[in-house]
């Protein structure tokens, strides 16, 4: 049982780490000499432009930013609630509250990655003065980590739903 508990904690911490990296790092769209994410566009390591309200489709990027941040926060809250429930739940009860919050985190990261997947081309086309060097790029590792974090938080949420507290 202790090994299972250690695995669940490590899996949850891994999920939170993936969410932090996907949210913070500048690699949602990458190519030769540039990288772009939901926060800024860099044409090299020193020439970065912060994405602000002067961008077309800025509200779309704000939706991605907000849902990624919310997903990360919910994942962290779920971890702390799991630790509290670990000591407060009676034997045989399920970690339902932790599961619900973790599945909400899963939903938020799925929404963020889906919005970015659907709207990326429009964002780049409507902001050619900023994205002119990003032609020929591809999805970067932060974008991929967001989808991996989706899978991890989903599996984690299901594990909490199935898991019962034992001695």
């Amino acid at each position: 049982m202790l090994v299972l508990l250690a695995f669940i904690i490590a899996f949850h911490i891994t999920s939170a780490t993936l969410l932090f990296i996907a949210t913070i790092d500048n690699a949602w769209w990458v190519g030769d000499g540039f990288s772009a994410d939901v926060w800024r566009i860099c044409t090299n390591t020193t020439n970065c432009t912060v994405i602000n309200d002067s961008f077309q489709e800025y509200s779309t990027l704000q939706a991605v930013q907000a849902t990624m941040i919310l997903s990360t926060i919910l994942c962290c809250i779920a971890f702390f609630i799991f630790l509290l429930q670990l000591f407060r739940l009676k034997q045989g009860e399920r970690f339902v509250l932790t599961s619900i919050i973790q599945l909400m985190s899963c939903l938020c990261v799925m929404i963020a990655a889906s919005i970015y997947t659907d709207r990326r081309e429009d964002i780049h086309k409507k902001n050619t003065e900023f994205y002119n060097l990003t032609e020929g790029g591809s999805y970067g590792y932060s974008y991929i980590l967001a989808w991996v974090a989706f899978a991890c938080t989903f599996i984690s949420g299901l594990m909490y739903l199935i898991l019962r507290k034992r001695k």
Side-chain angles (χ1 to χ4, degrees):
M1 186 63 187
L2 196 58
V3 173
L4 180 63
L5 181 63
F7 171 75
I8 290 171
I9 290 172
F11 195 74
H12 197 119
I13 290 172
T14 303
S15 300
T17 304
L18 291 174
L19 285 170
F20 272 109
I21 293 169
T23 303
I24 294 170
D25 210 3
N26 188 32
W28 280 62
W29 187 256
V30 296
D32 293 332
F34 73 87
S35 61
D37 69 350
V38 296
W39 305 103
R40 64 182 183 264
I41 303 163
C42 297
T43 53
N44 57 38
T45 56
T46 58
N47 187 15
C48 292
T49 304
V50 175
I51 296 173
N52 56 29
D53 57 357
S54 66
F55 276 66
Q56 298 283 331
E57 299 277 335
Y58 179 61
S59 60
T60 302
L61 289 173
Q62 278 187 318
V64 175
Q65 292 170 350
T67 51
M68 283 302 293
I69 290 170
L70 185 59
S71 175
T72 306
I73 291 169
L74 287 172
C75 187
C76 293
I77 289 171
F79 182 69
F80 289 119
I81 289 177
F82 171 68
L83 293 178
L84 287 174
Q85 286 184 322
L86 200 56
F87 296 108
R88 297 286 184 191
L89 280 181
K90 294 176 185 167
Q91 184 176 346
E93 291 184 7
R94 295 185 189 273
F95 295 90
V96 176
L97 181 60
T98 303
S99 175
I100 290 170
I101 294 173
Q102 189 70 348
L103 289 173
M104 286 173 41
S105 172
C106 168
L107 179 66
C108 287
V109 71
M110 181 195 68
I111 290 170
S114 297
I115 290 171
Y116 190 82
T117 303
D118 182 52
R119 306 299 296 165
R120 183 211 46 86
E121 191 173 331
D122 292 336
I123 293 167
H124 288 205
K125 284 182 180 176
K126 290 182 180 179
N127 296 290
T128 55
E129 65 273 13
F130 301 107
Y131 288 101
N132 59 353
L133 298 175
T134 63
E135 293 293 324
S138 62
Y139 291 110
Y141 67 87
S142 290
Y143 172 81
I144 294 166
L145 286 179
W147 280 112
V148 171
F150 161 71
C152 288
T153 54
F154 182 72
I155 291 168
S156 178
L158 291 180
M159 280 193 307
Y160 287 127
L161 192 60
I162 295 168
L163 186 67
R164 288 183 183 266
K165 184 177 179 186
R166 301 190 196 261
K167 278 189 177 181

